């Protein structure tokens, strides 16, 4: 591709991109909310540990279910 043609293609692409509409940004209505409270890290870690799910239990149940399905497929 000759250099002038390449420049023309780049200029056309930039001009087409410049014509794209800019998305509207919604303004905040009212005052912002209060700042979040700063808590000690020990309290945050205690809250984080309460809702954990044991993945080993889920995997064991899934493995047992898959083994039962496999045994059902092997049955005559």
């Amino acid at each position: 591709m000759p250099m002038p043609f390449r420049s023309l293609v780049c200029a056309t692409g930039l001009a087409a991109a410049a014509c794209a509409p800019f998305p509207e940004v919604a303004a905040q209505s009212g005052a912002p909310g209060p700042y979040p409270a700063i808590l000690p890290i020990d309290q945050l870690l205690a809250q984080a540990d309460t809702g954990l799910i044991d993945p080993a239990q889920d995997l064991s149940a899934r493995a047992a279910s898959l083994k039962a399905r496999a045994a059902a497929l092997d049955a005559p």
Side-chain angles (χ1 to χ4, degrees):
M1 214 187 297
M3 186 65 164
F5 184 69
R6 190 178 303 165
S7 298
L8 179 64
V9 170
C10 288
T12 305
L14 287 173
C19 293
F22 190 74
E24 293 294 323
V25 179
Q28 274 190 354
S29 60
Y35 287 105
I38 297 176
L39 301 174
I41 191 71
D42 297 333
Q43 185 178 357
L44 292 173
L45 291 175
Q47 290 175 0
D49 290 339
T50 58
L52 293 179
I53 299 171
D54 184 20
Q57 185 178 11
D58 284 343
L59 288 177
S60 298
R62 182 175 166 109
S65 172
L66 290 173
K67 287 179 184 177
R69 286 177 59 190
L73 290 174
D74 284 340

